[in-house]
Amino acid sequence: MYQNGKNISFTDRSNSSVDMFLRDIRKSEPLSSAEEYELWRLMRQGSQRARSKFIYANLRYVVTIAKKYLASGAALDDLIMSGSLGITRAADMFDASHGFRFISFATWYIDCEVRKAAYDHIKHNNTT
């Protein structure tokens, strides 16, 4: 993995907030279609707890997309934060009644936010 232009492994990193986040999301289990639909239904009824669980269960994919943009030199935590914004927006706009899975819908939103953060990092470093 690259972080700030250096090749480091996950075992080389210190006990940072990113490490704690990664350990935490590893505990989450992916949702089945039925669980995803039920959480979506509860979200539409206003349940913030269901919304949080819905988003939390899919955060692993945010990390997967964020890692693809590490070559930009942006910090992994910044990319993950941007991807989290994308997954949150996707969760608010998702409609499970159409019959497709959330992550298929959310990929575009996550990727757009992470790509924007990577681009902003590159642009900022080229102007200074």
Side-chain angles (χ1 to χ4, degrees):
M1 173 177 89
Y2 287 92
Q3 187 171 20
N4 296 330
K6 296 179 184 175
N7 187 8
I8 60 171
S9 71
F10 281 107
T11 57
D12 292 339
R13 293 182 296 144
S14 65
N15 216 4
S16 69
S17 59
V18 173
D19 294 321
M20 290 186 290
F21 174 78
L22 293 173
R23 277 194 303 271
D24 189 42
I25 64 171
R26 278 188 205 119
K27 297 174 189 173
S28 69
E29 292 293 323
L31 299 173
S32 68
S33 290
E35 291 170 323
E36 189 174 279
Y37 188 85
E38 181 61 22
L39 285 174
W40 170 78
R41 192 182 62 72
L42 292 170
M43 284 171 40
R44 293 303 165 242
Q45 294 173 357
S47 172
Q48 288 299 313
R49 188 167 191 233
R51 182 177 180 269
S52 294
K53 185 175 180 179
F54 190 79
I55 292 169
Y56 180 76
N58 289 287
L59 284 175
R60 287 180 182 195
Y61 196 66
V62 170
V63 175
T64 300
I65 292 176
K67 285 180 187 178
K68 293 178 183 179
Y69 290 91
L70 284 172
S72 71
L76 181 59
D77 56 342
D78 291 339
L79 297 172
I80 290 172
M81 188 179 299
S82 295
S84 297
L85 177 63
I87 202 168
T88 301
R89 286 185 179 160
D92 292 339
M93 298 171 64
F94 181 62
D95 186 347
S97 67
H98 292 296
F100 50 89
R101 297 294 302 263
F102 171 67
I103 206 61
S104 299
F105 177 80
T107 299
W108 185 84
Y109 292 92
I110 298 166
D111 194 65
C112 281
E113 292 297 331
V114 173
R115 189 178 329 119
K116 180 180 166 198
Y119 175 77
D120 288 346
H121 177 79
I122 292 168
K123 183 178 168 185
H124 175 72
N125 284 341
N126 287 338
T127 59
T128 56

